[in-house]
Structures are given as structure tokens and as C-alpha cells.
Amino acid sequence: MRHVVLILIFLYSMIAGTVNLAQQPARRALLIGVAKYDKAGFTNLEYPEADVKSLEEVLTAAGFQVTLMLGSLPATDPLRATRANIAHQLLTPDEFAAANDQKGNKLKPGFVAELGSLNKDDVVLVAIAGHGRQKSLVAADKKQEIPYYCPADASNAEESSWVSINQLMENISLCSGSQNNLILVDACRDNPSRGRGIDGAEVTLPGDNLAICFSSSAGTEAYEAKELGHGIFTHFVIQGLKGEAANRRNQVTWDTLVSYVRTSVAEQAPILVQREQQPNAIGNVKGVSPVLIAAVAGPLLVVPLATDKGMEHAEVANDAESPGALITNTIGMRLNLIQPGKFMMGSAKGDGDERPVHEVEITRPFYMAIHEVTQEQWNAVMKDKQNPWKDMTQTIQGDDVAASYVSWEDAQEFVSALNKMEQGTGRKYGLPTEAEWEYCCRAGTTSEYSFGDDESGLSQYAWWGATFGEGNAINERYAHQVVLKKPNRWGLYDMHGNVFEWCEDWHGYDYYGKSPTRDPRGPESGSSRVLRGGSWTDIATYCRSANRFNRVPSFRLDISGFRVLCRLD
């Protein structure tokens, strides 16, 4: 369980809606991490100091002047993360002046006391990692939860030994010359031995110059992950700042960072710790989203992805011994690394073209998009070309809605345009072969669905059944937003249902009886192409891992879409 408070406060300025690159803003950071506590009543933690140390590396590389406070420093070190030392760093200018007078003008100003000299385009970051607490305050019949941070010398029962997070935010907001403060909070704060995530709706922002993204929403908690060596939320904050949250201009903005962190945490927490964790954003940045990292250096990062050891039939390559990875391309499309392996293709329970069940070996790794191509991704690649779902009644509009009414020919045009955009990256995009698609859908299972044989669990993983009155899309007769359902054990969403997905292959009813064992690519010719996975309108059996569907390459309907894979040259 996660007991970490992480507050990132970015102060920036926009001149005519853009960052003034000629005059780089000053960059300052105060990072505080406590893993071990002096007094009884607190469970020692694993990763708070690792969190802020790794964050220090990222920020230093980005030009920040960093002040690092750790609980493990010697007792005499003024940067040891004790209540008194932290309080000194948070003094307002007036408070510091009074304290300095009492000490004969021998004190050095703390972090907050110097913020008044900053310009509105400067950048300030505060990150705090460790145990948190909260207290309930009832005033005018309204209950408010007051958050606190626990320094290294905190007492579990003494509120006066804690650091008020509200006071920290108020002092920053009051003393800073910035008009815009951006805050990320990674916290469990109700109890030092077990925690729950902050319900962001309970927190009142101390000023109108703040926007916050919390690590978890109401009813969920924040966690650490041994495989990452960090808190899950902090890990993806760091990865996002390093470049995983970069936009097409190779910049990390507030909006792209928040979007990346929210999605990544929600996707990965169930895989890493078998628990839900859903970040929650409050407040909005006015105008164009500010640029936090002006130019990401080097290639896009590869982020380790966890797998689930407990899944039955997990006998192929993508297990704990060879974890997958995630890449993000120039349009923000995320793809998981799929390792080579063998699997049993087809089903003895299915129609004739699903038989015989036969062994197939995938001999080369590839990257598979974690979800179907969305309307936003289609528009980013196809630009001025009219999208195929325009003016169709069985469609809802939305950036994250799966692109539908897409023919096989449309999908090929998209792939060709994407490859032109990605020239020089060493990546080659295409549709998956039918074998690659089923390999990814099964994700190491031999059951009818990626989650087992019982179709009663299908609604947890798929949109299906609208036309036949038995699924979860009965009153929602259209393609849905992606990543709303559970992923399979390889981190792939909507492999069952939502929209049928085109594969590269020609369809052959008798192909399985003569298919090559290694990397089959379908018949050399034919009249129809393969679609897989079922759709929002179909009965459960059409959504099975082995189910095959086929149509002519020009076919397009509200049930047809696609996802892409990427091969490395």
C-alpha cells in the first residue's frame, strides 16, 4: 500500500500563448523523502527516498536547481527531513524575517521565502514523499478532510508534529510570483499503517491559480510496486517528464503529462499490484497548455510493463521472465512489446474454419497497439481526408472512441500514411496477421476467451450484444471509447468486442488444415479479408479468441475498425 505524498508545483508563463524560449525560466525544486521514521507508530516505507532521488536526476538534467531533503541524512544536517527543518523551508518572507531577527540575522532563507523574487515565467517544483495523515474538521455543518505530511521525527498521535499540506499550498500560492501553479499529489493519508487515496473532491484549493492531479480517486488507494522500485504514480510522473508524455512537437506539457499519468496508472496498477488506482485531476490550466519540458532528448523511452503470474495457461513467452515493454510513437499511440512464443490456434468448439486446432509459432517480437485506433489517432494521421464515420448515425464522436466504418482498404491507407510520418524511426507499421492477432488476444491462454471459458465475464472485458439484447451495449448501439474495460494479461484492451478488427490475411475456410507452423500469413489470394474479435453488436460467441469473420476489403460498417502493430527493422 502506498503512503506517499508527491506535490509537483510548476510555475510558468505564457507569452502570446507560447513559452519564451529566448529567456528560459528559472527552475527550482524542493524534494522531500522519508522512508524510515524515528518514532513508533509508523511503518517504514520502501521507495519515498528513491522517488525523490530519481526525480532529482530528471529535474537536474532539465535545468532545475534542486534542494533535496531526506529522512536518512544525519541529525545535524539542516536538510534532514524533520518537522523543524521542513517548516523553515516553508516560511513566508514575513515569517522568515521574524525568525531571523530572533536568531540575530544568522539564518539562511528557506525555499518559500525566496519565491517572491521569481517572475511569472519561472518554474517551481515541490515533491514530498512519505507517510501522510488526515484529520476531519467540521465547520458550519460541513466536514472537511485536512491533509498532512509526516516528517521523519513525526509522532503518530501529535498533530503538531505533522506538516500541513494545505499550509504548504497556501504559502506557495501566496508567495509565488506565478499566476499558475500545477500540483500532483501521490498520497495515502488516513493512517500510517494502512491508507486510502485522497478523494480530490474533498480538497479546497487555496487560490485560483492552482490545478491538481491526485494519484487516486475516491474509493481507490495509491500503491508502490517492487517491480518499478517506485510508487506507481511517481514512476509514471518521472517517465512522463523523461519523454513518455511528449507530444508531436517533442514537448511535455501539463495536459500531456496528466493524460499520460492518468492512463498509465489506471492501466498498470491492476497488473502490478492487482488493485485499481485511478488518478483524478481537479482544476484546469487557462489557455494553451504550458510546456514543462521544452525538448525531450533522445529516443522515446521504453517503460517496463508487468505481467500476471497467476493467470492460468501462462506458458508462453510473455511472463515474468520476459516482461513486455511500452513504446509511444509520434501521434501518442502506445504499443506493447509482444515476445515470440508458441500457442494453439483455433477452437474445436467453433465453426469449421476454426478447425483443426493447430500449433503456431511466432518467431519474432513485435509491438501491438494497446487499443484500437481511435478517432483522434485517425484524424492525426489522415489529416484533411474525410473520416469514414462522418455523418453516420450509429456513431458517437470523441477523441478516445474507436474509429469505425473503416474498411480494410481504409486501414491500409492509414498504415501507409503512418509509416511516412514515422520515417527514420526504424519502425514499420501494419495490420497484424491473423495468427499474430489471436496470439495477442489469447495472451497465453487456451480458453475460449482471454479470461476463461465462462462468457458471463465478458462484459468486464468487452462491449457486446447490443443487437441481440444480452450484452452490455443494448442501449448504446455504437463503437465505444477504448480502455474502459479490463485488459488481458498482456495489457491489451478491447481484443474482445467493441469493433471487429481487420487482419492482414486473406480468408480461407480450409486454411488451418494446411497452415505453416511458423509465422503463417494466410492464403496467397482470396476474395475476402479476415476480421477478428467481435463487436458491440454481436453475441458472445463471436467475441471468442478463435472466432473468424470475413468480408470483402471494401466492406465498412459501424462494427468495423482496426488496430496496428509495429515491427522493428
Side-chain angles (χ1 to χ4, degrees):
M1 187 167 299
R2 182 67 169 156
H3 299 269
V4 174
V5 179
L6 173 64
I7 301 180
L8 308 179
I9 305 174
F10 296 92
L11 303 164
Y12 58 86
S13 170
M14 309 301 290
I15 300 177
T18 61
V19 174
N20 185 346
L21 297 179
Q23 296 180 347
Q24 290 291 338
R27 297 173 180 269
R28 300 181 187 176
L30 172 63
L31 312 180
I32 307 172
V34 177
K36 299 184 184 301
Y37 288 79
D38 298 344
K39 300 178 181 179
F42 292 96
T43 302
N44 288 332
L45 305 175
E46 291 290 333
Y47 303 120
E49 293 199 8
D51 288 345
V52 294
K53 287 178 179 179
S54 294
L55 191 56
E56 178 193 27
E57 294 179 7
V58 176
L59 297 175
T60 300
F64 280 81
Q65 177 184 339
V66 178
T67 300
L68 180 64
M69 302 184 75
L70 300 173
S72 61
L73 294 175
T76 56
D77 194 318
L79 292 180
R80 184 170 192 256
T82 63
R83 173 67 174 82
N85 290 341
I86 295 172
H88 175 76
Q89 296 295 332
L90 304 184
L91 292 176
T92 66
D94 289 344
E95 292 169 340
F96 170 73
N100 201 23
D101 285 341
Q102 293 181 355
K103 294 293 184 179
N105 296 321
K106 295 180 180 180
L107 297 177
K108 293 182 179 180
F111 185 79
V112 171
E114 295 188 313
L115 295 184
S117 63
L118 298 178
N119 297 318
K120 62 180 182 178
D121 59 340
D122 291 333
V123 180
V124 176
L125 180 151
V126 176
I128 303 177
H131 273 302
R133 294 298 309 270
Q134 71 178 23
K135 290 198 66 177
S136 297
L137 176 66
V138 179
D141 297 327
K142 183 178 180 180
K143 183 178 179 181
Q144 183 180 9
E145 303 294 345
I146 308 300
Y148 292 88
Y149 171 71
C150 299
D153 60 344
S155 171
N156 185 21
E158 296 179 15
E159 179 183 344
S160 61
S161 69
W162 311 336
V163 175
S164 169
I165 295 176
N166 280 359
Q167 191 65 58
L168 181 151
M169 292 191 294
E170 290 172 5
N171 287 6
I172 294 286
S173 179
L174 175 66
C175 298
S176 171
S178 171
Q179 297 177 355
N180 304 282
N181 302 334
L182 309 181
I183 305 172
L184 293 117
V185 179
D186 188 353
C188 284
R189 57 182 175 94
D190 67 331
N191 190 297
S193 60
R194 70 166 184 84
R196 67 169 173 83
I198 285 181
D199 174 0
E202 296 177 348
V203 176
T204 301
L205 304 185
D208 59 4
N209 58 350
L210 294 171
I212 302 178
C213 181
F214 294 100
S215 62
S216 55
S217 306
T220 67
E221 299 176 354
Y223 299 95
E224 295 183 331
K226 184 176 181 180
E227 292 153 88
L228 302 178
H230 288 293
I232 298 174
F233 181 80
T234 307
H235 169 80
F236 287 109
V237 167
I238 293 169
Q239 297 297 337
L241 291 172
K242 284 182 176 179
E244 276 295 313
N247 60 20
R248 281 172 281 177
R249 297 181 180 88
N250 217 31
Q251 301 167 330
V252 179
T253 71
W254 169 251
D255 285 351
T256 62
L257 180 65
V258 169
S259 177
Y260 168 77
V261 171
R262 290 179 67 182
T263 302
S264 299
V265 172
E267 289 174 355
Q268 289 299 295
I271 301 172
L272 289 161
V273 294
Q274 293 76 54
R275 298 289 188 275
E276 299 290 334
Q277 182 176 338
Q278 299 175 346
N280 182 34
I282 299 175
N284 295 302
V285 177
K286 296 179 181 179
V288 178
S289 182
V291 176
L292 306 180
I293 305 295
V296 175
L300 289 170
L301 301 170
V302 175
V303 183
L305 212 84
T307 54
D308 180 3
K309 294 181 181 179
M311 178 68 78
E312 292 183 4
H313 315 300
E315 55 195 7
V316 294
N318 291 63
D319 59 15
E321 299 300 319
S322 54
L326 179 74
I327 61 172
T328 305
N329 66 13
T330 55
I331 65 166
M333 180 182 287
R334 286 167 296 146
L335 302 98
N336 279 1
L337 177 63
I338 306 299
Q339 301 284 4
K342 296 179 180 180
F343 76 107
M344 299 306 295
M345 188 171 182
S347 172
K349 299 179 181 179
D351 294 336
D353 67 345
E354 295 178 27
R355 300 193 294 264
V357 178
H358 57 292
E359 183 179 84
V360 168
E361 181 180 5
I362 304 298
T363 65
R364 296 181 61 190
F366 59 91
Y367 287 87
M368 187 70 149
I370 68 170
H371 56 69
E372 295 147 341
V373 170
T374 64
Q375 294 179 9
E376 180 182 39
Q377 291 170 348
W378 174 277
N379 292 330
V381 172
M382 304 304 283
K383 302 187 182 303
D384 296 331
K385 178 180 173 63
Q386 178 174 310
N387 62 58
W389 61 87
K390 182 176 175 60
D391 301 326
M392 297 296 182
T393 57
Q394 292 288 95
T395 304
I396 57 171
Q397 304 294 320
D399 287 348
D400 294 330
V401 175
S404 60
Y405 288 95
V406 177
S407 69
W408 184 89
E409 294 166 345
D410 294 331
Q412 293 294 338
E413 188 175 353
F414 176 94
V415 165
S416 178
L418 179 58
N419 279 321
K420 290 180 180 179
M421 293 178 65
E422 290 271 285
Q423 282 181 346
T425 64
R427 300 170 183 162
K428 180 68 174 179
Y429 294 88
L431 296 180
T433 66
E434 189 177 11
E436 289 167 336
W437 191 96
E438 186 170 329
Y439 181 57
C440 288
C441 181
R442 290 189 175 280
T445 67
T446 59
S447 50
E448 292 299 302
Y449 305 91
S450 64
F451 53 86
D453 290 320
D454 187 354
E455 68 180 48
S456 65
L458 183 59
S459 291
Q460 299 181 55
Y461 295 84
W463 295 105
W464 68 287
T467 299
F468 300 92
E470 61 174 313
N472 59 356
I474 296 174
N475 299 316
E476 301 175 358
R477 301 169 64 86
Y478 43 73
H480 286 71
Q481 180 180 335
V482 298
V483 192
L484 292 180
K485 296 298 182 178
K486 289 183 178 181
N488 68 15
R489 66 181 298 271
W490 290 354
L492 304 176
Y493 293 82
D494 301 304
M495 296 297 290
H496 304 298
N498 206 17
V499 290
F500 270 108
E501 300 178 13
W502 287 106
C503 294
E504 185 67 30
D505 311 38
W506 290 108
H507 177 262
Y509 283 99
D510 60 352
Y511 180 68
Y512 280 14
K514 54 189 177 184
S515 170
T517 302
R518 294 163 61 90
D519 301 316
R521 304 192 65 83
E524 294 183 0
S525 62
S527 59
S528 61
R529 298 285 184 175
V530 173
L531 293 118
R532 285 300 205 110
S535 75
W536 56 266
T537 190
D538 291 303
I539 59 177
T541 191
Y542 288 175
C543 299
R544 292 178 297 109
S545 300
N547 183 73
R548 306 178 75 200
F549 198 73
N550 68 95
R551 285 294 184 267
V552 296
S554 60
F555 169 85
R556 63 162 63 95
L557 199 62
D558 49 7
I559 61 173
S560 60
F562 69 113
R563 78 177 68 211
V564 302
L565 59 69
C566 170
R567 307 183 198 282
L568 300 183
D569 293 343

